[in-house]
Amino acid sequence: MTDRPRPLRILGIDTSCDDTGVGVVELAPDGRVTVLANRVWSQAVHAQYGGVMPELASREHVERIDQIMGDALHEAGLSVSDIGAVAATSGPGLVGALLVGLMYGKGLAQALNVPFHAAHHLEGHIFAAASEAELRAPFLALVVSGGHTHLFDVPRGGEYVLVGATRDDAAGEAFDKVARLAGLGYPGGPAISEAATRGDPQAVPFKEPLKGQSGFDFSFSGLKTAALLAHRAGATPENLAASFQRAAVQTLVNTTVRAAQATGRSTVVVSGGVAANHALREAFAATGLHVVFPGRGLNTDNGAMIALAGAAAIQAGRPASALDGGATAYAPLANA
Ligand code: KG4
Ligand code: ZN
């Protein structure tokens, strides 16, 4: 536990994909954390290619990171010398992109002579919810983003047991692909969510994927194919969006509830870009579980979540990271 007499300001950096994110959090002596700033530069350059171009992402991170850090410090009302620790994502992600934020963070920590913490991107997504409530293990964590659909059991702080994952597409990826085929634009999650408000969730009888399984996996590719067939058969974009969202939310919520029953956990953290979805939030709120979502602006990739993961590491007494550690494209979080 912490025994620092003064608040510690932690700067967090995430450059794992196509968002340049810098955030600042304050860790109070009593262990409470407050997000002071969260600035994200979302790279628009990739839209014309229909997907993220890794080399362009790296270059744009290099060009933007100084400005985004300045903006974050300004938003926090701090100067760089007020920063007492730095955290940056070391993986998983695009290696060239990760390296920009990682090297920047290490350089900053060295220049300021403060501790540096390498953070796992998924631990960042999970601790984004620490902006809303104190996260004390045990709990379940569902990370649903454009690249991940992972359900972890967290029996003790810093220990992650993977209890389920997608067998094919990630949840956010499915939202993006269905939005594209329905002509709803990009990013697909918000577009589906908006169109769904004008559609009938029962119009297309999509089945809940993997219903009846005894495990806790997810699958979205069958749903995506069914959406394509329904689109070809003339379903309106609004009905397609509402019906797809209904089935996607059902599988995420029902599988997580069964996992909570099987593990005996009563608290569930739901994070990642898809956690911004209103229908998902409403369905989870109706489960009776204690469900914690990240605060506004902290669902999709950002730097504040990395600062929050850094704060959790510092509070747990984890040692600072060595400055010669590298970036890793593939880095499983589960350690059991
Ligand atoms: O966490 P994130 O920014 O990036 C990854 O680490 O992948 O998540 C981005 C994903 C995209 O697939 C986007 O469509 C989805 O999150 N998303 C949503 C919503 N907002 C973003 N999906 C469903 N409903 C939303 N409101
Ligand atoms: Zn992410």
Side-chain angles (χ1 to χ4, degrees):
M1 289 306 282
T2 167
D3 55 359
R4 285 163 293 92
R6 289 189 300 130
L8 181 71
R9 276 75 177 248
I10 306 160
L11 185 124
I13 304 171
D14 185 83
T15 59
S16 59
C17 192
D18 58 346
D19 295 304
T20 313
V22 181
V24 183
V25 307
E26 182 170 276
L27 174 59
D30 65 3
R32 265 186 293 179
V33 285
T34 314
V35 176
L36 301 181
N38 184 31
R39 303 298 292 221
V40 179
W41 172 264
S42 293
Q43 303 178 355
V45 61
H46 309 285
Q48 58 188 304
Y49 303 101
V52 178
M53 298 293 281
E55 187 51 38
L56 291 182
S58 312
R59 277 191 230 166
E60 195 139 336
H61 287 312
V62 171
E63 279 165 23
R64 291 286 170 183
I65 193 161
D66 251 336
Q67 177 203 330
I68 301 302
M69 186 185 79
D71 290 352
L73 287 171
H74 182 76
E75 185 179 327
L78 299 174
S79 75
V80 71
S81 57
D82 297 320
I83 298 301
V86 178
T89 309
S90 59
L94 302 170
V95 169
L98 283 166
L99 279 171
V100 178
L102 187 60
M103 294 306 155
Y104 193 94
K106 286 179 184 177
L108 186 63
Q110 200 162 30
L112 294 172
N113 196 22
V114 300
F116 172 76
H117 288 268
H120 193 286
H121 184 74
L122 292 190
E123 207 170 19
H125 272 305
I126 294 169
F127 277 91
S131 65
E132 301 306 291
E134 190 188 350
L135 296 188
R136 200 178 289 159
F139 58 84
L140 280 185
L142 175 69
V143 184
V144 272
S145 69
H148 296 93
T149 306
H150 283 48
L151 182 57
F152 296 101
D153 183 28
V154 188
R156 275 169 291 279
E159 200 175 315
Y160 300 92
V161 181
L162 187 67
V163 295
T166 184
R167 295 181 183 175
D168 37 63
D169 291 356
E173 191 182 352
F175 272 85
D176 292 336
K177 287 178 178 170
V178 171
R180 188 187 300 182
L181 74 86
L184 291 169
Y186 185 88
I192 293 264
S193 171
E194 196 277 321
T197 60
R198 289 174 278 114
D200 174 5
Q202 307 300 334
V204 188
F206 293 131
K207 291 204 198 79
E208 179 185 328
L210 300 182
K211 196 175 164 115
Q213 66 162 331
S214 56
F216 308 105
D217 279 344
F218 304 94
S219 168
F220 292 97
S221 72
L223 193 54
K224 186 184 65 189
T225 308
L228 179 63
L229 296 177
H231 169 68
R232 286 188 184 150
T236 65
E238 291 76 17
N239 284 343
L240 202 61
S243 302
F244 163 78
Q245 179 174 268
R246 187 245 324 135
V249 166
Q250 274 177 340
T251 186
L252 292 170
V253 174
N254 292 344
T255 306
T256 305
V257 168
R258 280 194 304 105
Q261 286 161 351
T263 53
R265 306 297 182 223
S266 53
T267 298
V268 181
V269 170
V270 183
S271 61
V274 181
N277 186 277
H278 288 302
L280 183 74
R281 287 182 172 230
E282 279 169 18
F284 264 116
T287 60
L289 291 164
H290 176 230
V291 187
V292 189
F293 294 97
R296 205 178 157 76
L298 297 176
N299 295 290
T300 48
D301 290 351
N302 66 86
M305 71 184 198
I306 299 304
L308 287 164
I314 290 166
Q315 262 204 294
R318 284 197 232 164
S321 308
L323 289 178
D324 59 358
T328 27
Y330 176 72
L333 178 61
N335 44 16

